[in-house]
Amino acid sequence: MRKLRNIALATLIGVGGLYLVSMGNAKPLAPGLRVGVLVSDSGELGFAGSIQRAAAKLAVNDLVEEKSQVKVELSFIDIGDSESDYSRAFAKLKALRTEVILAPIESDSARALVESTIKNPLPMIAPSSLEDELGAKNTKPWLFRLATSPSQDSFALSEMIARSKPASTLIVSSSLESSRDQMKSLAFGLAIRGHRVQTLNIKDIKAIAKTKPDALVLLSMEESLAFFSSLEDWVSEVPQVYMVPSNLGDYSSYPWAKALKGAVAISPQTDIEPRFKADLAKLLGNQTVVGPRGTAVLALGQRTYDALKIAVEARIKAKTGEPEEIRTAISKALSGGLKVFNKQGFTDQSQYSVFRYGSSGTFTQSSVFSPN
């Protein structure tokens, strides 16, 4: 079976926008655990909701087979897109007496959640990259990150670019706040390493076309297709192109695919198990998994799956099931004999996969990069 074994969940029951999972095969005296999963079903990250739900269903299926010691009640709650949506979602968590939370995958809603639980904190596991300062007000970590933070990723990418010693680097970002923040962090990382950096918005096509950088970094997801289509010849002339993980995908069906030849991206290593990939593809449809968001989809799904396993293992180790006991157990979680989280609750991930594009518009892993 998959990693982080010896746990069990059971049958999925839908009630409107809220779903419950309970296990009927648990031992009579099995401890219980109520896990709330805050999913994204709308907005810019609306595609992620189906991934989170599918990954959870796979965890449910595996945990039922494993007949673990814990009886789990799992709730999926749509986090929504506004402050009022957040409040309603958090009210549901409280009403359900949630004991462990799988945090929202977007920083604004995650921040609202963290701030709403400062006085009465609950253990939270984040399956996606969130702002570095989240949870900093707590004296001990209650937010645990399975994904690297933006600063960790920016540090790694700036270090990789710096080692290649380009004479000039152009960073192209979208208007999204997350993209702009990433741009600022990356530009700072290169600047302190003594590199010449220019930044432009992805919609400034004319301005971009006038530049002649030695390295291009594209920090955009939704607008990247139009960008490559408009600047195919220009992109082909840039000596080195870098992309972010959300841009990784199969572009072979696009007429400009050959312009990506030699483009590189680094992504925090997430061990995707072959069986998990096959099962997730079956549930979501293969195109969802191999399309432009393919790598990000698989990584988010795997981390959602792993987060559930970590939460249940922590409950097994917590004698009374009190929040502090579960928090402590999560902080000590191991994978492959190594600690998953550092003292601040951040992942100890330090290795990145390097992906390189060929002339066909598809990519393969070419190497592993360590920024340290």
Side-chain angles (χ1 to χ4, degrees), residues 269-304:
Q269 282 194 330
T270 298
D271 295 330
I272 309 295
E273 298 173 44
R275 180 184 163 189
F276 175 83
K277 180 178 179 179
D279 290 346
L280 190 67
K282 185 177 180 180
L283 281 176
L284 295 174
N286 289 334
Q287 187 56 44
T288 304
V289 175
V290 302
R293 295 192 184 104
T295 300
V297 165
L298 289 171
L300 174 60
Q302 183 72 67
R303 290 192 294 264
T304 298

Side-chain angles (χ1 to χ4, degrees), residues 349-367:
Q349 173 70 260
S350 60
Q351 298 292 318
Y352 287 76
S353 298
V354 180
F355 299 97
R356 187 175 298 275
Y357 274 85
S359 57
S360 65
T362 59
F363 65 88
T364 56
Q365 183 173 346
S366 61
S367 60

Side-chain angles (χ1 to χ4, degrees), residues 150-214:
S151 67
Q152 287 175 304
D153 292 343
S154 292
F155 172 83
L157 184 54
S158 60
E159 179 64 23
M160 183 181 193
I161 295 172
R163 291 182 190 180
S164 68
K165 300 180 180 180
S168 63
T169 301
L170 172 64
I171 304 175
V172 174
S173 66
S174 73
S175 298
L176 294 177
E177 184 178 358
S178 58
S179 182
R180 295 197 307 271
D181 289 345
Q182 191 174 11
M183 176 269 291
K184 293 176 183 177
S185 179
L186 182 58
F188 177 77
L190 288 170
I192 63 174
R193 289 170 171 81
H195 288 257
R196 186 160 64 90
V197 183
Q198 182 180 3
T199 62
L200 287 171
N201 186 281
I202 194 170
K203 293 182 179 180
D204 294 335
I205 298 298
K206 291 183 179 180
I208 293 172
K210 292 179 181 179
T211 65
K212 293 184 179 180
D214 291 288

Side-chain angles (χ1 to χ4, degrees), residues 4 8 22 46 74 80 93 96 105 128 139 151 173 209 232 235 243-244 264 266 286 292 294 305 314 316 327 354 372:
L4 301 170
S22 60
L74 177 65
L93 288 175
L96 292 166
I105 64 171
S128 67
T139 57
S151 67
S173 66
E232 175 183 354
V235 171
M243 308 204 316
V244 292
V264 167
I266 61 171
N286 289 334
Y305 178 96
I316 292 172
R327 187 209 68 81
V354 180
N372 301 315

